[in-house]
């Protein structure tokens, strides 16, 4: 299934998101930097992409780590998963956190994260005194499979 998403370049150096393969779920987001940036261990740096976008109503852009960047450099989004709402029109930025024990650098045009555009449901929360019973019940945190 394909859905058009309008992109606006806010910087002439910005790179439009792209998919690495025909069946990739996530589109790569690219750093838009004036100069390379070094992120020290334990630090977080807000990386600009130089783009804004018009995500269709009923969809959200979910920002995830790129597995290669996380395993090779220890860099992943600080908030684990970012959520870009359909009504947001500002620049897409990714707060990269260095989870490793070594400094890591990001270059202009480097792939820094991936975005999955997905439909979602908006819940109509209704307060109640009881919930339907299930086999699992209130068991959580490691309670299944026992």
């Amino acid at each position: 299934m394909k859905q058009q998403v309008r992109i606006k370049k806010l910087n002439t150096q910005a790179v439009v998101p792209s998919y690495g393969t025909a069946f990739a779920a996530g589109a790569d987001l690219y750093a838009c930097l004036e100069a390379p940036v070094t992120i020290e261990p334990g630090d977080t740096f807000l990386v600009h992409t130089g783009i804004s976008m018009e995500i269709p109503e009923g969809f959200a852009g979910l920002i995830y780590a790129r597995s290669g960047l996380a395993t090779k450099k220890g860099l992943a989004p600080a908030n684990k998963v970012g959520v870009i709402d359909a009504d947001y029109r500002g620049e897409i930025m990714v707060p990269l956190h260095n989870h490793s024990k070594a400094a890591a650098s990001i270059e202009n045009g480097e792939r820094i994260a991936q975005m999955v555009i997905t439909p979602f449901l908006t819940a109509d929360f209704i307060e109640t005194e009881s919930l339907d019973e299930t086999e699992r019940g209130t068991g959580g945190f490691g309670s299944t499979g026992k």
Side-chain angles (χ1 to χ4, degrees):
M1 180 169 94
K2 289 205 175 206
Q3 174 75 41
Q4 287 188 344
V5 176
R6 294 169 32 140
I7 301 291
K8 180 180 179 183
K9 281 190 174 186
L10 305 172
N11 184 308
T12 57
Q13 294 188 60
V15 178
V16 173
S18 64
Y19 293 94
T21 67
F23 297 105
D28 290 325
L29 297 177
Y30 298 83
C32 187
L33 303 168
E34 296 297 320
V37 172
T38 299
I39 306 172
E40 297 295 328
D43 285 352
T44 299
F45 181 79
L46 191 59
V47 182
H48 291 255
T49 65
I51 62 167
S52 59
M53 62 182 62
E54 190 174 303
I55 296 173
E57 185 178 330
F59 290 80
L62 303 180
I63 310 296
Y64 295 101
R66 291 195 70 256
S67 59
L69 195 64
T71 57
K72 293 175 184 173
K73 293 187 178 183
L75 298 175
N79 54 342
K80 307 304 180 210
V81 177
V83 179
I84 309 299
D85 297 312
D87 59 350
Y88 178 66
R89 295 295 183 269
E91 182 178 7
I92 306 297
M93 294 182 281
V94 180
L96 283 183
H97 183 77
N98 186 345
H99 296 275
S100 77
K101 295 179 181 175
S105 294
I106 295 293
E107 304 274 336
N108 183 51
E110 187 171 349
R111 295 175 297 170
I112 56 164
Q114 59 183 325
M115 179 172 56
V116 175
I117 296 180
T118 186
F120 66 90
L121 298 174
T122 301
D124 185 11
F125 296 101
I126 301 168
E127 188 173 352
T128 183
E129 293 295 322
S130 64
L131 301 173
D132 292 341
E133 295 293 325
T134 66
E135 184 178 328
R136 181 175 181 174
T138 59
F141 297 113
S143 66
T144 62
K146 290 184 178 179

